[in-house]
Amino acid sequence: MTQFKYSKRVPADGTDAVGAILQAAADPKIISFAGGLPAPELFPVKEMKAAVDKVFEEHGQEAMQYGAAKGVTALREVIQQHVKEKENVDSELDNVLVTTGSEQALDLVGKAFVDPGDTVLVEQPTYLCALDVFRSYGANFASVEMDALEEALKANPNTKLIYTVPNFQNPTGRTMTEERRKQLAELAEKYDVYVLEDNPYGEIRFAGQHVPAVKSFDKSGHVFYMSTFSKTLAPGFRLGWLVADKAVVNKLTVLKQSADLHTDNLAQFAVAQFFADNDVDAHVKEISALYGKRKDLMLEGIKKYFPEGVKYTDPEGGMFLWVEVPGVDDTVELFKECLKHDVAFVPGDPFFAGEVQPGAFRLNYSNMKEDQIEVGLKRLGAALTAAVNK
């Protein structure tokens, strides 16, 4: 049998723990809080069909032809206006790059800025797919609490990049304070490191007050801002974007051309048309209201069914909350036990760049119908109680 000589970037066999977990959780009898999926019943199917029909009528040939690697101009204008209105981020059109999902933005930044041995500072825990991307380019990681950022920068002088999810973070649901965001932008300039601000969930706020983007405090171009339409419209379009200095966008555009030439033209035209024809703010408010209701139901179930001493976050928006169970050492084994109770979550282990926090896991509330949330949490509470009392 042929022994294929893969590059060092290719993960070893058996390292797709999350894929295995999600596959196990896909059994229809299992109530799964594992996936990070939006609520499909809120996808604007009718409105998007109308947008696509109009695109074919008015831009059919252009939408079906090869396009610019930076993206369709109409969509880049939408993004430019959007970040100004929502995040107080001033930009020119040349600062905007459309990507094939926000995952491509992560990959392009990793490819452009991370050399083997460079240090990437990350929150603890942090988005697991970002860890996978930066690891594939040879990054070393330093996990840091953002209130100790300057000490971490002094201790890691070869830091190239700081990665942060400041709003309703995946996996914890927590939000960075405005003061810490200002400090982050200032330290990036002071130490000449780059910040990749990942904001996929920021619009989905159902409590509290909006906090300005880190990018809005950036005076030197050290902050790169990325987001996506996956959480507010539909993930299947695979449309994300990055706002950065023109020179950075130009370099990333060259790298993007070698990856996919350009992002799907039809999807870009359709989303631009959707913004022109619909009240997008009203649509996002509907999403936020539903997710807030489901989050509240999840917290009620946790309080009702989980054993004493369990800690959990109470996010003001987004799609996830984080649970810590004292007395549980192996969350992967706990996951297997929960499957026997027909309920699933994502173990915390893959979200840590360094030492893993035992007994921690992520729950998703956006994708589960209300009547199933309590049933699932009752099952999960029974499994946790059995694990704690072993």
Side-chain angles (χ1 to χ4, degrees):
M1 182 177 177
T2 301
Q3 296 297 313
F4 296 104
K5 300 174 183 178
Y6 297 108
S7 77
K8 294 179 180 179
R9 287 186 296 276
V10 177
D13 288 344
T15 57
D16 186 13
V18 175
I21 288 164
L22 294 178
Q23 184 176 2
D27 187 326
K29 73 176 182 294
I30 291 173
I31 294 178
S32 178
F33 302 117
L37 282 66
E41 62 268 32
L42 293 185
F43 292 161
V45 176
K46 179 181 177 182
E47 295 84 356
M48 193 56 67
K49 181 180 183 300
V52 171
D53 288 344
K54 188 176 288 188
V55 166
F56 273 121
E57 291 171 5
E58 299 179 4
H59 306 282
Q61 292 180 349
E62 189 178 0
M64 296 177 72
Q65 185 58 278
Y66 285 115
K70 283 186 180 179
V72 169
T73 298
L75 184 61
R76 291 167 67 214
E77 289 173 343
V78 165
I79 294 166
Q80 182 188 6
Q81 183 67 24
H82 182 81
V83 297
K84 173 62 177 176
E85 291 180 357
K86 303 298 182 183
E87 301 295 346
N88 197 30
V89 172
D90 289 314
S91 63
E92 304 294 332
L93 202 59
D94 285 339
N95 300 125
V96 179
L97 173 66
V98 176
T99 59
T100 303
S102 59
E103 194 70 22
Q104 186 180 56
L106 283 170
D107 186 68
L108 292 175
V109 170
K111 188 180 293 184
F113 289 99
V114 178
D115 287 316
D118 284 343
T119 296
V120 177
L121 296 186
V122 297
E123 295 155 332
Q124 181 168 295
T126 192
Y127 178 43
L128 59 93
C129 290
L131 293 176
D132 290 342
V133 167
F134 301 137
R135 190 178 286 119
S136 75
Y137 291 111
N140 295 323
F141 294 107
S143 298
V144 58
E145 295 295 335
M146 286 297 157
D147 57 359
L149 180 58
E150 186 158 19
E151 290 83 352
L153 288 168
K154 290 177 180 177
N156 297 276
N158 65 333
T159 297
K160 181 70 71 70
L161 185 69
I162 302 167
Y163 173 72
T164 180
V165 186
N167 293 315
F168 323 129
Q169 192 229 30
N170 182 0
T172 66
R174 64 193 176 195
T175 295
M176 186 186 296
T177 65
E178 181 172 344
E179 184 57 37
R180 199 166 291 174
R181 295 176 194 224
K182 291 179 182 177
Q183 183 190 45
L184 177 52
E186 291 167 358
L187 290 175
E189 180 177 5
K190 178 179 178 180
Y191 287 90
D192 193 25
V193 300
Y194 309 112
V195 174
L196 182 56
E197 179 181 14
D198 190 357
N199 186 32
Y201 314 103
E203 288 190 74
I204 305 173
R205 176 177 283 280
F206 39 73
Q209 299 298 316
H210 173 74
V211 187
V214 178
K215 180 66 176 171
S216 70
F217 303 111
D218 178 29
K219 298 179 174 63
S220 59
H222 281 79
V223 180
F224 314 147
Y225 176 91
M226 56 177 281
S227 190
T228 176
F229 293 110
S230 291
K231 309 305 184 291
T232 54
L233 290 182
F237 292 137
R238 307 311 305 130
L239 285 179
W241 71 82
L242 185 129
V243 177
D245 186 277
K246 178 182 176 180
V248 172
V249 168
N250 287 343
K251 289 292 186 183
L252 298 185
T253 300
V254 174
L255 294 176
K256 178 177 169 59
Q257 286 173 164
S258 68
D260 64 1
L261 293 183
H262 63 83
T263 297
D264 184 285
N265 269 349
L266 178 58
Q268 292 187 69
F269 273 105
V271 169
Q273 191 66 54
F274 178 87
F275 268 77
D277 294 345
N278 294 276
D279 187 340
V280 179
D281 287 342
H283 172 66
V284 174
K285 284 181 180 177
E286 186 179 2
I287 295 172
S288 301
L290 179 65
Y291 291 5
K293 179 181 179 182
R294 290 180 176 179
K295 187 269 298 188
D296 288 343
L297 287 171
M298 181 163 277
L299 291 186
E300 289 174 13
I302 288 173
K303 293 172 185 176
K304 187 175 181 180
Y305 296 115
F306 282 21
E308 292 276 334
V310 170
K311 298 178 181 179
Y312 50 90
T313 57
D314 184 0
E316 295 181 336
M319 299 165 55
F320 307 107
L321 58 83
W322 186 247
V323 178
E324 299 171 5
V325 186
V328 172
D329 294 326
D330 191 334
T331 318
V332 175
E333 284 302 314
L334 177 62
F335 170 80
K336 294 176 182 177
E337 187 64 30
C338 287
L339 287 181
K340 297 176 184 177
H341 289 74
D342 293 330
V343 66
F345 56 79
V346 176
D349 299 28
F351 297 99
F352 289 91
E355 184 178 354
V356 170
Q357 178 184 357
F361 56 87
R362 188 192 76 179
L363 295 177
N364 165 263
Y365 47 78
S366 61
N367 190 241
M368 187 57 59
K369 297 289 181 65
E370 289 86 332
D371 61 343
Q372 292 294 290
I373 288 177
E374 181 169 8
V375 175
L377 289 172
K378 186 175 183 179
R379 294 177 185 176
L380 186 51
L384 295 181
T385 300
V388 169
N389 293 332
K390 269 188 177 180

